[in-house]
Structures are given as C-alpha cells and as structure tokens.
Amino acid sequence: MLFIKHITLVILMHIPITISAYQGTIESNSPGTRWGHVLVYDQFRDQLVLFGGSRERGIYLNDTWIWDGQNWTEMQVKSPTARGFCAATFHKERNSIILHGGRGNNRTTFSDTWEWNGKQWTQLEAEGKYKADHHQMVYVDYEKQIVAFGGWNGKDVMGDTWVWNGDWQKSNELSPPKRASFGMVYNIKTQEINLFGGLWVNGQYADLWERTNGTWQAIGNPYDNSSLDHHAMIYDEKLQKVIGFGGKDYRRQMQNKTFNINNGLIETLTTEGPVNRHSFGFTYNSKNQLGFLYGGKIYKEDNQLALGDFWKWDGTKWNKIE
C-alpha cells in the first residue's frame, strides 16, 4: 500500500458552525433545500430517487421524492429513519436501489441496509457488520455485487473495503488509506472503480485510486492534484469519462469546478454552471445520457446554508431546471 502524507485539516464533522436561515424557499412540489441527501437514478423505472439529508446541522429528514423527468412527487411511504450522508446505488440484478448507513439525529451512525423497489422501502438488515456514514458504494457489473469503502463509524474514519450481495462482508484486500467524504464511481468503460480525495480526522487527500478485480492501485503521486472533499462524481457514458463537481479545498473554500479524470490527473472542464457548493446529490441518467445535480451546502459568514436548485449536465454544459 502507498502511504500518503496529509494536509492538516480538522474534518468537517468536528467543526462547530452556527446555523441560520436557509438559502432559497421550500416549494410544495419539490424536495426543497437540503444537503447530505442521496440522489440515485433508477435504471429500471427511468426516474431519479432522492432521499433524506438535512436543512439544519444535526437535524435530518427521511422523505422520499421521485423525479419522472417533468415533476417531483413526494412518496407517501414508510421510510428509513431520518438521516443524511448515506451511501446508495442502483443494483442491476435486483432492479432496485440499495441504501446503507448514514448519520442520524443525535450524531447516530447507522449500520442498517434498505431497498427501494419503486413503491416502498424494505429493511433488509437492521444491524449490520458495517457501520458508516460519509462513505460511498457502487454496483460493479462484472462482480454483480456492491462494493463500498471507508466512511466514519461514529468513533473513527475507516479504510476498509466491503462487498454486498445480500449481506455485508469485509474484504481482505489492501485498500486506500482511511478516509470519509470522498468521491467514488464505477467506470463502465474500464470496469474500474475510481476514487478521488476525501478526509481523515487530521487531513485531506488529493490522491487518485483505481480498483479492478479486487485490487486497489494508487494512480500517480499524492500531490499530483489539488486536495478535495465532499465532492461527487458520475460516469458520463456520452463522454466515456468520469465527471466530478464541487466540494471544498483544504481552506474550506467551496468549489464550482466541473472536472474529469484524464490520464491520472484531475482536469477542469468548466466553472460555468451551479454555484460553489458541497454535499449535494449527483447522479447520471443513462437512458438520456444526462447528469443531474440537486441542492447542497454553502457557507456564508460562518453560517451553513442549504440549497434547493436543480441542474442537468449534458456532457458539454450545465442547464438549470426550473
């Protein structure tokens, strides 16, 4: 394993910040302002699914919304406990969305696993072996299983790889250094998992990693790229590239860069589009070959402000969805 030096920074989840008013208004026909939610494209039903998140620090939501391409609809269903910073992905074999863990009220870190079948949530596991928030997971086509990494377990940042195909099993593979709040996506073209950046308790990462056939490999040197956390990435099938957006740097400055991974380096494509933010929802509609971004968080005068805007990425530029 490659050991990486760290840029000193206290992880966000330990920074006390005063709360004030939200950014924007909450419309009855939309999910409204929020950060730390999940946004996943349901390939089987051709719709976006948004769940949870927060409008105030430490106070989480448990609502479920569907975007059918024209309108948002709140689903009146029994949902997982209120939470944010979960990991979620579409499972192609089950034709459903799998959601795991997250952070709830009173700083609770969850280990449960849920499934969304388009109509209802079903709890698949109440207390699992893998407890995490601020982690990531993706469905790997050729393995026909979910691969998850890292996160915060309520006491420490983790650096373990886990797999799920009905239950969680900890992998014995050598993994990247422990971290949370990183970007991770499955690259359909190369059949690799791409991981970039993130935080540990005393530092921030600028490194890139790839995982193929159960093996993680560091790509390039630790400081080849600028450090980043709380960003998100998709695989753009039209461009056949991993596309990332937003996050914050080691000075806690919000970013508005749309970037891609090119030959092991982070390359900025544009700064036009959504304003600087982090902890937003970002997913890819493979049918229409569009990326969708919703909400997020900004800082203003040491206050946390939730955003409620909705954007689409067409492979070249961003357009706001009214």
Side-chain angles (χ1 to χ4, degrees), residues 42 84 90 161 170 190 214 249 260 263 294:
D42 184 331
F90 183 77
T161 301
K170 187 176 178 180
T190 62
D249 65 16
N260 74 317
N263 293 322
Y294 191 94

Side-chain angles (χ1 to χ4, degrees), residues 99-133:
L99 181 147
H100 173 261
R103 174 172 295 188
N105 299 323
N106 300 316
R107 298 182 63 84
T108 301
T109 299
F110 294 106
S111 62
D112 52 350
T113 303
W114 293 77
E115 181 174 42
W116 172 255
N117 66 1
K119 295 182 179 179
Q120 64 183 12
W121 288 102
T122 300
Q123 189 177 56
L124 302 180
E125 190 172 25
E127 293 186 12
K129 305 172 187 175
Y130 183 31
K131 177 189 288 189
D133 58 61

Side-chain angles (χ1 to χ4, degrees), residues 236-254:
D236 188 322
E237 295 182 20
K238 183 189 299 184
L239 298 179
Q240 295 188 333
K241 294 180 178 179
V242 172
I243 300 295
F245 178 80
K248 59 183 180 65
D249 65 16
Y250 71 98
R251 294 186 178 91
R252 292 180 57 218
Q253 296 297 311
M254 303 299 102

Side-chain angles (χ1 to χ4, degrees), residues 35-301:
W35 71 72
H37 48 289
V38 295
L39 182 67
V40 181
Y41 175 60
D42 184 331
Q43 299 176 28
F44 185 69
R45 299 164 189 87
D46 187 27
Q47 55 191 207
L48 306 186
V49 179
L50 183 151
F51 171 78
S54 177
R55 296 192 178 106
E56 297 183 49
R57 185 173 175 84
I59 301 176
Y60 291 95
L61 307 166
N62 71 334
D63 49 346
T64 303
W65 292 79
I66 299 296
W67 170 259
D68 62 7
Q70 297 293 326
N71 300 292
W72 284 105
T73 301
E74 184 174 7
M75 306 300 288
Q76 303 301 320
V77 295
K78 183 179 179 181
S79 299
T81 311
R83 67 189 69 191
F85 301 105
C86 321
T89 191
F90 183 77
H91 194 297
K92 290 184 179 179
E93 289 291 302
R94 300 172 71 101
N95 285 326
S96 63
I97 291 171
I98 303 298
L99 181 147
H100 173 261
R103 174 172 295 188
N105 299 323
N106 300 316
R107 298 182 63 84
T108 301
T109 299
F110 294 106
S111 62
D112 52 350
T113 303
W114 293 77
E115 181 174 42
W116 172 255
N117 66 1
K119 295 182 179 179
Q120 64 183 12
W121 288 102
T122 300
Q123 189 177 56
L124 302 180
E125 190 172 25
E127 293 186 12
K129 305 172 187 175
Y130 183 31
K131 177 189 288 189
D133 58 61
H134 293 78
H135 56 311
Q136 293 286 338
M137 66 189 202
V138 297
Y139 180 80
V140 178
D141 289 347
Y142 67 89
E143 295 181 15
K144 295 184 178 180
Q145 65 181 0
I146 290 170
V147 176
F149 174 75
W152 175 262
N153 64 10
K155 296 180 180 179
D156 195 8
V157 181
M158 298 178 290
D160 302 314
T161 301
W162 292 76
V163 296
W164 188 90
N165 198 8
D167 65 340
W168 287 104
Q169 297 294 327
K170 187 176 178 180
S171 174
N172 61 4
E173 62 199 78
L174 294 175
S175 300
K178 61 183 183 179
R179 70 190 67 199
S181 305
F182 50 92
M184 193 172 89
V185 66
Y186 178 65
N187 186 320
I188 296 172
K189 180 180 179 180
T190 62
Q191 295 189 325
E192 298 167 338
I193 294 175
N194 295 125
L195 184 152
F196 169 49
L199 290 169
W200 71 306
V201 174
N202 294 315
Q204 186 183 41
Y205 293 99
D207 53 342
L208 277 165
W209 289 78
E210 290 179 355
R211 181 188 180 274
T212 307
N213 296 322
T215 300
W216 286 99
Q217 180 181 0
I219 305 301
N221 297 307
Y223 298 113
D224 284 348
N225 305 288
S226 298
S227 58
L228 198 65
D229 65 74
H230 286 84
H231 51 294
M233 304 192 304
I234 59 170
Y235 179 75
D236 188 322
E237 295 182 20
K238 183 189 299 184
L239 298 179
Q240 295 188 333
K241 294 180 178 179
V242 172
I243 300 295
F245 178 80
K248 59 183 180 65
D249 65 16
Y250 71 98
R251 294 186 178 91
R252 292 180 57 218
Q253 296 297 311
M254 303 299 102
Q255 303 295 303
N256 70 335
K257 296 177 183 178
T258 303
F259 60 84
N260 74 317
I261 300 175
N262 185 16
N263 293 322
L265 295 174
I266 300 300
E267 177 182 76
T268 299
L269 299 178
T270 182
T271 56
E272 299 292 327
V275 300
N276 309 40
R277 69 189 66 199
H278 72 79
S279 302
F280 48 90
F282 195 23
T283 193
Y284 188 76
N285 180 322
S286 55
K287 180 179 180 180
N288 297 322
Q289 295 190 319
L290 295 169
F292 288 91
L293 182 152
Y294 191 94
K297 180 197 290 188
I298 62 174
Y299 297 148
K300 188 174 182 181
E301 298 176 353

